[in-house]
Amino acid sequence: MAGAPPSCCLVAFPPRAKDGLVVFGKNSARPRDEVQEVVYFPAADHEPGSKVECTYISIDQVPKTHAIVISRPAWLWGAEMGANEHGVCIANEAINAREPAAETEALLGMDLVRLGLERGSTAKDALDVIVALLEEHGQGGNYYEDPASCHSFQSAYLIVDPEEAWVLETVGKYWAAEKITEGVKCICSQLSLTTKIDAEHPELRSYAQSQGWWTGEDEFNFSEVFSPADDHPHCCAGKDSLEKQEESITVQTMMDVLRDKASGVCIDSESFLTTASAVSVLPQSRSSPCIHYFTGTPDPSRSIFKPFIFVEDVKLVPKVQSPCFGDDDPAKKEPRFQEKPDRRHELYKAHEWARAVIASDQEQGRKLRKTMLDLEKQGLEAMEEILASAEPPDPAEVGDLFYDCVDTEIKFFK
């Protein structure tokens, strides 16, 4: 059983997070050469009886889906992380469990992230959506664009809104969840729920007993019961990093933690790379907008976080969207993945030059990185002004915010 990619999802609640803000972050560790795109989908109404085509299977569509913005591997339908217009953010983790994940094509964990965002107007709503779909359709299929072997995993989710977060961990169709309303929480590529379980599959414990994994006499500890026998729980590096912060946690703190290679939060290994990152700030006061920052490029230590705000007319950003191959996409044809098309988008290509310059670590690389961080800082300061203002932002000004930031970044690299 191959190890799950070592991604990291984090959330901090007030008062650990500053100014009454909930701060959410995710580093997406994926195969090194995989491209992620950032895509906005407006809210939509759907015909009765219509279907939605997910990565591998089609399922019934709902009458209405919310507006969402997601970061996703460009070959699949779902998402590694994202947010919706109601201030719900979801990120997932691939995990290994005692029960191997199904290779049979079903819903991917990443499909369930997107479905939760499209259909849930609160964190708890999104959790209910995910577990109902898990029960109905199951999870399974290849997590990577790899024709040689099937890499399948169980899934964990961090589901956050301005009021609360839920950690949801799944094994097949069975699941357990914990509600979080304070402090900091991190999920990584191992099961983390123990004895505090606030919601669970009705047959979870009887299933564990039927498999001989739990006697029914000891206290029920989810990760002890369902983790692989050879799994040695390690402390989540992200949680360590956040808890070490002496001052209140801000958007900048979260970005700094996601950029930290020494701690292992930012992955750059032989097999895996942090291929995209996201940070969201969710004000507990409903008068302020939620702000979502995406890199759309690999390695946050060499990338710029760019802000996005939901308004009526969001300008689409084709420069951070991968080419579309339609029905000819090797991910959609069976047998799958017989070819690997070039999925790089315009921002990714421009950023490849920047990464090469910074990696060479000469004077030019240091100057380039400083200029990139200065560019990011301007965006952060502008967003702080929006959060501090008593007036809601002008939709005409923020509708093309993400577009303008991507455009500026590409021009700067060129």
Side-chain angles (χ1 to χ4, degrees):
M1 180 167 35
S7 295
C8 182
C9 311
L10 301 150
V11 67
F13 280 89
R16 277 304 279 119
K18 200 176 175 184
D19 300 333
L21 304 171
V22 177
V23 185
F24 165 89
K26 158 115 191 232
N27 267 356
S28 171
R30 300 281 302 168
R32 290 192 67 88
D33 61 348
E34 189 176 79
V35 176
Q36 283 204 35
E37 57 180 356
V38 179
V39 195
Y40 166 77
F41 294 95
D45 296 311
H46 304 280
E47 292 292 323
S50 61
K51 297 278 187 186
V52 54
E53 198 176 308
C54 303
T55 302
Y56 296 129
I57 63 167
S58 293
I59 65 170
D60 292 336
Q61 184 55 285
V62 290
K64 183 171 176 53
T65 49
H66 307 311
I68 62 168
V69 60
I70 55 175
S71 184
R72 67 175 180 188
W75 62 271
L76 54 76
W77 179 85
E80 273 283 289
M81 57 266 199
N84 72 19
E85 60 186 307
H86 301 290
V88 178
C89 297
I90 310 180
N92 86 315
E93 292 282 343
I95 45 176
N96 289 319
R98 199 164 196 166
E99 182 169 298
E103 293 188 4
T104 309
E105 291 184 348
L107 290 173
L108 286 176
M110 292 161 286
D111 293 338
L112 289 161
V113 170
R114 177 168 170 182
L115 290 161
L117 291 170
E118 287 187 337
R119 302 178 180 197
S121 54
T122 65
K124 181 61 168 62
D125 272 355
L127 178 132
D128 293 340
V129 164
I130 291 171
V131 298
L133 289 168
L134 193 60
E135 176 80 28
E136 188 177 352
H137 301 286
Q139 59 181 324
N142 205 341
Y143 262 60
Y144 305 151
E145 203 178 2
D146 182 357
S149 68
C150 182
H151 310 263
S152 58
F153 301 99
Q154 309 288 9
S155 299
Y157 305 84
L158 185 58
I159 310 169
V160 182
D161 68 22
E163 309 296 323
E164 64 188 29
W166 287 84
V167 173
L168 167 64
E169 297 185 340
T170 68
V171 178
K173 69 173 186 177
Y174 299 98
W175 58 273
E178 180 186 359
K179 182 176 168 179
I180 315 284
T181 54
E182 59 184 19
V184 300
K185 184 70 183 178
C186 171
I187 66 167
C188 31
S189 53
Q190 289 184 315
L191 294 172
S192 66
L193 297 182
T194 56
T195 55
K196 182 183 179 296
I197 296 173
D198 296 307
E200 65 186 76
H201 187 286
E203 292 156 23
L204 175 72
R205 299 182 191 219
S206 57
Y207 179 70
Q209 275 185 285
S210 73
Q211 299 297 305
W213 298 336
W214 181 55
T215 61
E217 291 164 16
D218 312 330
E219 186 175 24
F220 186 78
N221 180 315
F222 183 80
S223 56
E224 274 184 14
V225 170
F226 284 100
S227 291
D230 58 356
D231 212 28
H232 302 291
H234 55 74
C235 197
C236 177
K239 187 163 188 279
D240 266 5
S241 300
L242 276 188
E243 284 177 342
K244 278 180 193 155
Q245 303 296 328
E246 289 175 12
E247 294 175 12
S248 296
I249 293 159
T250 62
V251 173
Q252 186 66 64
T253 318
M254 188 65 84
M255 290 175 182
D256 292 344
V257 166
L258 294 181
R259 286 178 162 133
D260 185 3
K261 288 188 175 172
S263 69
V265 175
C266 181
I267 296 297
D268 189 351
S269 69
E270 202 176 310
S271 309
F272 298 112
L273 180 67
T274 298
T275 55
S277 305
V279 171
S280 290
V281 54
L282 314 176
Q284 292 192 309
S285 142
R286 290 288 179 171
S287 60
S288 298
C290 297
I291 303 175
H292 312 284
Y293 299 85
F294 294 92
T295 59
T297 52
D299 189 347
S301 71
R302 298 169 184 176
S303 288
I304 299 174
F305 283 91
K306 297 163 284 290
F308 174 98
I309 296 176
F310 282 96
V311 286
E312 276 301 311
D313 289 311
V314 170
K315 189 170 182 179
L316 300 179
V317 190
K319 290 175 181 175
V320 74
Q321 285 179 234
S322 295
C324 179
F325 300 98
D327 291 338
D328 290 331
D329 195 315
K332 291 187 176 174
K333 296 197 288 197
E334 294 190 53
R336 299 196 197 275
F337 314 128
Q338 297 306 297
E339 297 167 50
K340 210 166 193 178
D342 183 356
R343 299 189 188 274
R344 294 174 304 159
H345 46 72
E346 197 173 331
L347 176 65
Y348 189 99
K349 288 177 181 175
H351 181 260
E352 281 181 312
W353 169 81
R355 274 167 67 203
V357 172
I358 295 170
S360 66
D361 202 33
Q362 291 150 354
E363 188 61 24
Q364 190 192 2
R366 283 192 289 277
K367 280 184 185 166
L368 176 61
R369 188 162 185 275
K370 183 183 183 304
T371 314
M372 287 169 73
L373 291 175
D374 287 346
L375 206 58
E376 180 181 276
K377 192 172 176 220
Q378 289 170 27
L380 285 170
E381 286 169 354
M383 294 307 101
E384 278 172 17
E385 283 176 25
I386 286 176
L387 288 172
S389 169
E391 299 297 315
D394 177 356
E397 282 184 18
V398 298
D400 50 7
L401 175 66
F402 190 68
Y403 180 97
D404 288 346
C405 291
V406 169
D407 208 43
T408 304
E409 184 176 352
I410 290 172
K411 282 176 183 160
F412 162 67
F413 290 147
K414 285 181 175 172

